[in-house]
Each structure stands twice: as structure tokens, then as C-alpha cells.
Amino acid sequence: MSYENYRDLKERAFDRFRLGAQVMKGDMVNPIPAKQKTIEERAINKESEREAFRVLNGYPEQDRTNRHTLAAAVVQSLMRDPSEKLGKEFTVLSKARQQLPATEDWDSMFASPGAAEWPDPYDFVMPEGGEDQMADLKEGEKK
């Protein structure tokens, strides 16, 4: 696989699995807790399961935004009453969801902005057939 194909595959995966949002006041990031990676490695032994953990259940991004999520956030912010604005500047970051937030979700994010919580890997349960499906996808990449 060429580097260009690999980069395209990663970008499409980001667009597919990072449609959720987190809205914060000002110019912010959501830094990963210092021990999060260590806890993930202890709690989830297989790398394929750690990959699944990071694309499911609202796993937040530290400093990246999906382009579709950002476009939806711009539209949602323009639809709001100017008195409800978060100020002159707010940050939208992605989190792992396979659907864009509903209007009600945007309402709550704009009403009480804040960074998403980092999930506890000890609570993660691998979906049925999840590892087999990931292996099938990787085999398809090799062909």
C-alpha cells in the first residue's frame, strides 16, 4: 500500500468514526490524562481491541476536528440567538461517534460547554465479532 493510499484510508476512517463533538469556550484542547495510555494498555491486552476502544463510545480527540462535525457546528452556531453565543471564540473537537449530534445534543453542548471525559478502558466490552471484522478489514487492505 502506498503512503498516499494509507493516508487516504486514515482520513476516511477519521471521517467515519469521529462524527461526535465536544464544544468548549475559547481556544482549548482536551489533553489526554497523563496515565490514560498506560491504563488502556493494562486494561486491554490486544492492540486490535485497543483500536476498537478508541473508535467507539465517545473517545475524545485532544486537538482534532472532523470536517463534517465542524461544518455542523458552524451551522448550529449560526442558528442560535446571538445572546446565547459562547463569546467571540469557541472550540469544537471531535469524539468517537458514527453519527453527527442531533439538534438537542448541540443545544446541550452550547448551553454547557466543556471537554468530553476520557473513557475508562476497564469498562470496555469488545462488540461481538468485532475482532474478526477488524481482521477481515486488514486482510482486505493486503489484497
Side-chain angles (χ1 to χ4, degrees), residues 97-116:
R97 294 272 187 242
Q98 291 185 24
Q99 293 181 341
L100 287 169
T103 302
E104 300 79 28
D105 299 326
W106 287 111
D107 291 343
S108 66
M109 284 187 278
F110 278 103
S112 57

Side-chain angles (χ1 to χ4, degrees), residues 76-137:
Q76 288 292 326
S77 70
L78 292 173
M79 292 173 43
R80 307 207 170 275
D81 184 337
S83 64
E84 295 178 24
K85 298 279 183 186
L86 291 171
K88 292 183 179 182
E89 188 171 29
F90 64 94
T91 299
V92 177
L93 298 175
S94 290
K95 67 180 183 179
R97 294 272 187 242
Q98 291 185 24
Q99 293 181 341
L100 287 169
T103 302
E104 300 79 28
D105 299 326
W106 287 111
D107 291 343
S108 66
M109 284 187 278
F110 278 103
S112 57
E117 291 185 25
W118 290 87
D120 183 352
Y122 288 102
D123 294 338
F124 178 69
V125 177
M126 184 72 170
E128 286 290 321
E131 189 171 320
D132 295 335
Q133 291 172 359
M134 290 181 81
D136 291 343
L137 288 173

Side-chain angles (χ1 to χ4, degrees), residues 18 22 24 29-37 39-40 53-64 93-96 114-123:
R18 303 285 185 194
Q22 39 184 333
M24 297 171 281
V29 294
N30 184 6
I32 189 167
K35 296 184 180 181
Q36 181 74 20
K37 292 216 183 270
I39 293 169
E40 289 175 16
F53 172 70
R54 292 178 185 140
V55 296
L56 299 172
N57 304 322
Y59 195 89
E61 283 294 320
Q62 297 180 66
D63 58 2
R64 298 188 309 164
L93 298 175
S94 290
K95 67 180 183 179
E117 291 185 25
W118 290 87
D120 183 352
Y122 288 102
D123 294 338

